[in-house]
Amino acid sequence: GESVGLHLPTLSVQEGDNSIINCAYSNSASDYFIWYKQESGKGPQFIIDIRSNMDKRQGQRVTVLLNKTVKHLSLQIAATQPGDSAVYFCAENTGTYKYIFGTGTRLKVLA
Amino acid sequence: DAGVIQSPRHEVTEMGQEVTLRCKPISGHDYLFWYRQTMMRGLELLIYFNNNVPIDDSGMPEDRFSAKMPNASFSTLKIQPSEPRDSAVYFCASSLTGGQPQHFGDGTRLSIL
């Protein structure tokens, strides 16, 4: 299940360091956002979500930040582990149940 | 709990042949989505259903593509006739309601020769 291949932006991080993956979304009317993780050969897997009435939400080792002013979303992964290596997608929903997915960022965790 | 189940996982066929992809959503989920993923275009929504009824098929590329959901536990995506440019990974996803995260299957990798 590789997604976008040759032209995917790649973030390389040392194991144990924090990772920050960014996403610019397109529609100022979007009110719900999701981060997905996709490992090779698998479908996207839900990580964390946030609604537009919030600017920060925390999960286990992950934090999502939303800046509606500049239409920017970020995913922070604390203490990055080898198992975090994957492609990460943001998805926005404009309220119609149709999600717009970003092109993805490949995270490589270096041992 | 069983997740979204797709079959087959891989399909290789010659152009002109009919291709049928299958999906079993998570039990109790009211929404079902079909996506296509390619290197060039990323993840694209093809069609989605609510309570077995197609709601939006504006992403279906052309009349060669059709999707059905005869009951709450089964959906098919059919391509007839298939063309090499249809080669992609096709994902099915389901969600409890429209405004909640979608759960994806592991996809069908389709290669049209």
Side-chain angles (χ1 to χ4, degrees), chain A residues 1-7 32 34 36 38 41-46 49 51 89 93 96-99 101-102, chain B residues 9 31 33 35 37-39 41-43 45 48 56 58 89 91 98-107 109:
Chain A
E2 63 264 18
S3 53
V4 181
L6 296 177
H7 302 291
Y32 180 52
I34 302 176
Y36 286 94
Q38 187 175 23
K42 296 193 174 182
Q45 177 186 6
F46 170 81
D49 59 359
R51 299 200 182 269
F89 293 94
N93 186 306
T96 63
Y97 309 151
K98 291 173 69 170
Y99 288 83
F101 284 78
Chain B
R9 287 300 314 275
Y31 284 79
F33 303 81
Y35 289 89
Q37 188 175 48
T38 62
M39 290 176 64
R41 301 172 68 91
L43 202 57
L45 177 67
Y48 78 90
D56 188 332
S58 59
V89 181
F91 287 103
Q100 293 196 340
Q102 297 168 11
H103 298 261
F104 284 77
D106 284 337
R109 182 181 299 277

Side-chain angles (χ1 to χ4, degrees), chain A residues 2-110:
Chain A
E2 63 264 18
S3 53
V4 181
L6 296 177
H7 302 291
L8 263 187
T10 298
L11 175 67
S12 296
V13 175
Q14 286 289 336
E15 181 179 354
D17 287 351
N18 297 335
S19 303
I20 299 177
I21 300 171
N22 296 304
C23 175
Y25 63 91
S26 57
N27 194 326
S28 56
S30 293
D31 60 2
Y32 180 52
F33 305 87
I34 302 176
W35 278 101
Y36 286 94
K37 171 187 180 183
Q38 187 175 23
E39 296 175 284
S40 181
K42 296 193 174 182
Q45 177 186 6
F46 170 81
I47 301 173
I48 191 168
D49 59 359
I50 188 168
R51 299 200 182 269
S52 59
N53 60 351
M54 303 173 70
D55 53 20
K56 180 179 180 179
R57 189 157 190 235
Q58 289 185 286
Q60 191 173 24
R61 279 202 310 121
V62 295
T63 300
V64 56
L65 300 178
L66 174 62
N67 185 331
K68 294 182 287 293
T69 303
V70 294
K71 294 190 288 186
H72 184 267
L73 200 64
S74 69
L75 176 70
Q76 300 178 1
I77 304 174
T80 311
Q81 302 169 359
D84 296 326
S85 293
V87 176
Y88 290 81
F89 293 94
C90 65
E92 61 180 298
N93 186 306
T94 59
T96 63
Y97 309 151
K98 291 173 69 170
Y99 288 83
I100 302 171
F101 284 78
T103 54
T105 296
R106 188 182 304 278
L107 177 65
K108 288 187 176 179
V109 181
L110 308 173

